[in-house]
Amino acid sequence: MPLLPNIQWAQRKDRVYLTIDLQNAKNPTIKLDNGSDGKHGHVSFKGKAQSHATGADAHEYEVELDLFGAIDSEESKISISDRSVLLVIAKQESTGEHWPRLLKETGKVGRNIKVDWNKWVDEDEEEDKPDDLDMSQLQNLQQFGGGGMPGMGGMGGMPGMADMNFEDLGGDDENINGTADSDDDDLPPLEKE
């Protein structure tokens, strides 16, 4: 009997992030569609992989999710790395609001599904916090054939930081306004009881 993988999720107005927490997933079968009614997305994952929960041995994993809203499988992307499987699922109505929940069914979700707080952005803060995920590095679902994130290389440093002059930020004795830092004052001696 296949096991249920742990899943983390987050969303934006135009997409849903699903991270399936499985290591070394080899050639998994992943299907995205809008189910029979066309109003609710359906995600199907099946594959053999390792998990933190089960140790070093590979096991069969399987999960079926009926999502709250319709999805665009043609615009959805996937990345398979040694650490996880990331699905970036495009919502069919990308100008809409955030979904009130991940799944179609109301009530308590399974204990294997949790919010991904590293990717989560509140709906009213979405405009202020740009998405740092480079979508060009992910594979289209139609081209799905395995392999991690092509072109990532060594990741380099932080872009734009090479030209920054840190001398302009002030020396040891001055704060940003150019005045002496009050933290450097001598402290009074400790009192003895």
Side-chain angles (χ1 to χ4, degrees):
M1 181 167 159
L3 301 173
L4 275 176
N6 287 325
I7 297 172
Q8 292 182 319
W9 80 283
Q11 69 175 317
R12 301 290 186 276
K13 290 181 182 178
D14 61 342
R15 62 186 167 267
V16 173
Y17 298 111
L18 282 183
T19 304
I20 302 172
D21 185 22
L22 292 175
Q23 291 76 52
N24 300 315
K26 303 295 181 200
N27 301 317
T29 302
I30 301 171
K31 294 180 185 174
L32 297 176
D33 59 42
N34 276 319
S36 59
D37 65 1
K39 296 179 182 179
H40 300 280
H42 181 80
V43 177
S44 173
F45 173 88
K46 189 175 191 177
K48 190 169 187 175
Q50 298 167 319
S51 169
H52 295 295
T54 59
D57 294 333
H59 298 279
E60 289 291 328
Y61 289 88
E62 185 175 341
V63 67
E64 304 275 334
L65 300 174
D66 289 317
L67 303 178
F68 178 81
I71 61 174
D72 184 349
S73 60
E74 304 244 340
E75 292 296 319
S76 297
K77 308 270 187 179
I78 185 170
S79 172
I80 300 175
S81 71
D82 293 341
R83 299 183 57 105
S84 64
V85 176
L86 172 65
L87 299 172
V88 182
I89 302 170
K91 294 179 181 178
Q92 198 168 55
E93 296 181 23
S94 62
T95 59
E97 298 179 2
H98 280 211
W99 292 348
R101 59 185 178 275
L102 174 64
L103 302 177
K104 176 173 118 175
E105 298 298 321
T106 60
K108 193 171 183 179
V109 297
R111 63 185 190 141
N112 66 314
I113 300 175
K114 295 183 171 49
V115 172
D116 187 345
W117 295 113
N118 292 324
K119 291 184 181 77
W120 190 269
V121 174
D122 287 334
E123 189 172 0
D124 58 344
E125 296 176 356
E126 190 168 332
E127 310 290 322
D128 300 334
K129 295 184 180 180
D131 198 354
D132 59 356
L133 182 64
D134 185 0
M135 297 290 283
S136 67
Q137 300 297 320
L138 304 180
Q139 298 172 331
N140 286 330
L141 196 60
Q142 295 78 21
Q143 300 169 353
F144 176 67
M149 294 177 69
M152 285 300 284
M155 294 287 284
M158 290 178 63
M161 294 295 282
D163 298 331
M164 184 172 244
N165 184 357
F166 290 100
E167 297 295 322
D168 293 340
L169 297 178
D172 291 340
D173 296 333
E174 295 182 351
N175 66 18
I176 293 174
N177 297 328
T179 59
D181 189 356
S182 64
D183 290 351
D184 294 336
D185 295 340
D186 290 333
L187 296 175
L190 296 176
E191 296 179 19
K192 292 184 180 179
E193 292 183 25

